[in-house]
Amino acid sequence: MSEPRAGEGRPLRADARRNRERILAAAEAVFDAKGPEASTEAVAGEAGVAVGTVFRHFPTKPDLVEAVFIGRLRRLAERARELADSPDPGGAFFGFLETWAELAATKHAFADALAATGLSLIHISERA
């Protein structure tokens, strides 16, 4: 997913960037609690923004679900990089496995939600 843009060639203002980060954090929390089928209104409420602000950053709900899922994939890859040079390969493996298991608990719900929109996990993982 590319760097968010407010207009043509302009990066997001600091307040818009903060709103985007709050929306993503709220979506993660709401989707963890209620699944990715939870409403964008619930995400907006959790983020403390109007629902229009959510749609300004993520024009469709699948865009929001995809952004959350890509964030999870990026965290998993980051964790793998952190553990790659560990002096304790066994501990690193189990640390990675633990992170993977935490993310996998909701992976199928995300996969189902994204598949319903016609997106595949292969397509999404290429963007992550």
Side-chain angles (χ1 to χ4, degrees):
M1 185 167 261
S2 62
E3 176 67 23
R5 302 275 179 194
E8 293 185 27
R10 293 181 299 148
L12 289 175
R13 296 182 328 256
D15 61 330
R17 187 175 294 114
R18 283 190 301 272
N19 279 345
R20 181 182 173 86
E21 291 167 4
R22 286 185 8 218
I23 291 165
L24 285 170
E28 180 111 21
V30 169
F31 294 164
D32 279 349
K34 300 178 181 177
E37 64 276 356
S39 71
T40 51
E41 289 81 4
V43 172
E46 179 75 19
V49 300
V51 73
T53 302
V54 173
F55 286 115
R56 196 168 16 262
H57 289 277
F58 305 98
T60 67
K61 180 151 178 224
D63 290 334
L64 177 59
V65 172
E66 180 181 358
V68 170
F69 189 73
I70 286 173
R72 289 175 177 212
L73 290 176
R74 286 182 176 157
R75 284 195 306 277
L76 185 62
E78 183 179 308
R79 183 70 174 142
R81 283 189 293 275
E82 289 170 2
L83 294 169
D85 295 325
S86 174
D88 176 13
F93 173 76
F94 286 109
F96 179 78
L97 193 59
E98 180 180 334
T99 302
W100 177 82
E102 290 168 1
L103 294 176
T106 57
K107 177 184 169 229
H108 293 294
F110 276 89
D112 292 344
L114 293 168
T117 70
L119 292 172
S120 73
L121 292 181
I122 292 170
H123 168 79
I124 292 168
S125 64
E126 289 171 354
R127 295 179 62 190

